[in-house]
Amino acid sequence: GQLGALTSMTMRTVLAVAAALAFSTPVMAQQAEQPTAPQAPARQPTAEEIAFGQTAQAFDGRMQAMVGEIQTMLQDTSTNGAQKQAALEGILAPYIPEINAFADAMQTFLAGARSRSTDPQEQAAIDQALANGPANVRAIPDQVRAGVAQAIANAAAQAEAAAAAGQGAQPGQGAV
């Protein structure tokens, strides 16, 4: 639903930034533009890039697990909206330190890449990633809260509409 789309959008942004920085090189971009030019050897990813790529993959797995827990919680028909909001905080609690740690790791990785870069285009891309990437990661809990609040509101609106149409009447509620 909405929450999954929101979280996967954030993760795609985060991982796209990480992947683009870790594995794109000015050399490859030049090769793409000039297929007849003599080919420079492709740059091998550095140990830092490989390590950050693995960290990013592990983080993505953890975010998928979190989304799964949240979706299961949202589908629980025995809880109301307020109980779901409370349950969300319990689900988020163990993930928030991991989210912040990954944002810190991204900041460190990007700052290191920026300090080693000599290509102005690459530096501009890294500056953009530094400005947005870690902040986007740190915003995941608030984005998730907003997505869950929206999902709860949508479910409540659907239930009201069904009840108004006479489809949601339960025995003992005065249904005729």
Side-chain angles (χ1 to χ4, degrees), residues 15-113:
L15 295 176
V17 164
L21 285 162
F23 301 108
S24 74
T25 67
V27 169
M28 289 175 178
Q30 288 164 3
Q31 285 175 5
E33 291 161 19
Q34 307 159 350
T36 55
Q39 301 232 336
R43 181 175 73 80
Q44 292 299 305
T46 65
E48 290 90 356
E49 289 166 347
I50 292 168
F52 183 74
Q54 291 169 341
T55 300
Q57 278 188 319
F59 179 72
D60 188 41
R62 292 295 292 152
M63 293 300 95
Q64 299 298 335
M66 179 185 75
V67 168
E69 287 182 49
I70 293 167
Q71 286 171 336
T72 300
M73 174 272 296
L74 284 172
Q75 290 160 2
D76 181 355
T77 55
S78 69
T79 57
N80 65 27
Q83 290 166 319
K84 285 177 172 37
Q85 292 282 13
L88 173 64
E89 292 309 314
I91 292 170
L92 280 177
Y95 290 102
I96 289 175
E98 294 180 51
I99 290 167
N100 291 330
F102 181 73
D104 292 344
M106 176 182 269
Q107 180 88 33
T108 300
F109 170 75
L110 292 172

